[in-house]
Amino acid sequence: MGNAIILMLIRLDSRLHTPMYFFLSHLACVDICYTSSTVPQMLVNLHSPKQTISLVSCAIQMHVFLTLAITECILLAVMAYDRYVAICHPLHYTFLMNKRVCLKLAMASWICGLLLPVTHTVLTWRLPFCGSNVIDHFFCEMPALLKLACADTSIAEKVTSVGCIFTLLIPISFIMMTYVRILVAILKIQSAQGQHKAFSTCASHMIVVVLFYGSAIFMYMRPKSSHSPSQDKMISLFYSIVTPMFNPMIYSLRNKEVEQSFQTYL
């Protein structure tokens, strides 16, 4: 509901028709789809004595979940670039972040999300599942499925590690570099009011990045020996449900434009 309200406000209020809110609308759309891919089935299983999911549905759920997660990873990096241009090159912002560029960056995020998980899905579902068919998880997430395979999963795990480099480490490194440049630019601003305004435009995005990337990196990039089913489930719930739920609250509570738009239209 929170993400839907954000989408509606951006659609209705012409003051929010800027690159930052254009990308925020895509983030809200991703979060709606992200939670919708897992939560409904999860709730059914929690309240139903027959806690089952078909093989095809499980494969589709895993692929859709990975698609949206990777899309959000790339989109958060794109949003960091938008803030970098706005603060470090304000005079060229309108030219550098025109409608065509914004559309291409958003499309690139979705295309990466659609293409990159294909290999992971194929490798996972080519494995034989001839033992237990009980997934010790709330939804069909790849690490939990690999534990059920009765064959060597080393190739799938190596591909996952390589995928994490492209979808987690490279984007978060890019985000960190942009924020170092942003911090240097902010410290050069003479007025305290100007510094505060610049910090406030980045604070919401930084909070979302820490919540999402922190939990995802901890889940997918820590040593295999340190994994435990109960811990994995709690971490997965955090980045698949808690973070998407908090995103609209973070952006609305810390953003005067969204607050004003909320008061005007709602």
Side-chain angles (χ1 to χ4, degrees), residues 146-173:
L146 290 178
K147 292 178 181 178
L148 300 182
C150 49
D152 183 19
T153 61
S154 59
I155 295 178
E157 290 170 359
K158 288 178 181 177
V159 171
T160 301
S161 298
V162 173
C164 286
I165 292 173
F166 285 99
T167 59
L168 290 175
L169 288 187
I170 292 179
I172 192 62
S173 299

Side-chain angles (χ1 to χ4, degrees), residues 9-259:
L9 291 177
I10 293 172
R11 175 74 175 176
L12 294 174
D13 196 338
S14 59
R15 294 172 297 180
L16 303 182
H17 293 174
T18 63
M20 184 177 76
Y21 293 106
F22 172 75
F23 295 126
L24 179 57
S25 67
H26 279 269
L27 181 65
C29 183
V30 169
D31 284 338
I32 290 172
C33 299
Y34 195 41
T35 51
S36 300
S37 68
T38 56
V39 173
Q41 183 66 45
M42 186 191 305
L43 293 176
V44 169
N45 288 342
L46 289 173
H47 292 280
S48 171
K50 189 179 180 181
Q51 301 176 350
T52 60
I53 183 171
S54 69
L55 194 67
V56 174
S57 297
C58 191
I60 293 172
Q61 186 186 68
M62 190 194 86
H63 183 73
V64 171
F65 180 81
L66 287 175
T67 294
L68 296 166
I70 292 172
T71 301
E72 181 152 349
C73 287
I74 307 300
L75 192 57
L76 288 173
V78 169
M79 293 174 75
Y81 174 72
D82 172 66
R83 292 298 83 207
Y84 162 74
V85 176
I87 293 173
C88 298
H89 303 283
L91 298 179
H92 299 92
Y93 181 68
T94 305
F95 172 74
L96 293 174
M97 298 302 294
N98 57 61
K99 289 184 178 180
R100 188 175 179 181
V101 171
C102 291
L103 186 60
K104 285 183 177 180
L105 290 173
M107 287 178 62
S109 301
W110 285 98
I111 291 171
C112 288
L114 288 169
L115 296 180
L116 292 179
V118 172
T119 304
H120 304 293
T121 303
V122 171
L123 287 176
T124 300
W125 291 99
R126 285 184 64 183
L127 293 168
F129 296 94
C130 50
S132 172
N133 61 350
V134 179
I135 304 172
D136 191 8
H137 211 292
F138 292 114
F139 56 93
C140 294
E141 191 168 27
M142 188 168 58
L145 290 169
L146 290 178
K147 292 178 181 178
L148 300 182
C150 49
D152 183 19
T153 61
S154 59
I155 295 178
E157 290 170 359
K158 288 178 181 177
V159 171
T160 301
S161 298
V162 173
C164 286
I165 292 173
F166 285 99
T167 59
L168 290 175
L169 288 187
I170 292 179
I172 192 62
S173 299
F174 173 79
I175 292 171
M176 290 172 65
M177 287 190 292
T178 58
Y179 272 109
V180 169
R181 298 286 298 272
I182 287 171
L183 181 61
V184 172
I186 290 175
L187 293 176
K188 291 180 180 179
I189 298 175
Q190 299 297 325
S191 66
Q193 184 179 0
Q195 287 184 344
H196 177 74
K197 184 178 180 180
F199 271 120
S200 64
T201 61
C202 300
S204 300
H205 181 258
M206 290 173 66
I207 294 170
V208 172
V209 166
V210 170
L211 289 174
F212 183 80
Y213 274 96
S215 55
I217 289 173
F218 186 75
M219 175 67 182
Y220 282 92
M221 303 205 71
R222 74 186 197 274
K224 186 178 178 181
S225 58
S226 64
H227 283 253
S228 68
S230 59
Q231 191 178 51
D232 288 352
K233 284 186 281 188
M234 291 303 297
I235 297 169
S236 296
L237 284 177
F238 192 82
Y239 63 73
S240 64
I241 298 176
V242 176
T243 302
M245 181 180 68
F246 279 147
N247 283 355
M249 288 186 277
I250 291 169
Y251 277 102
S252 60
L253 291 175
R254 299 188 58 87
N255 196 300
K256 290 183 179 179
E257 288 87 354
V258 175
E259 289 180 6

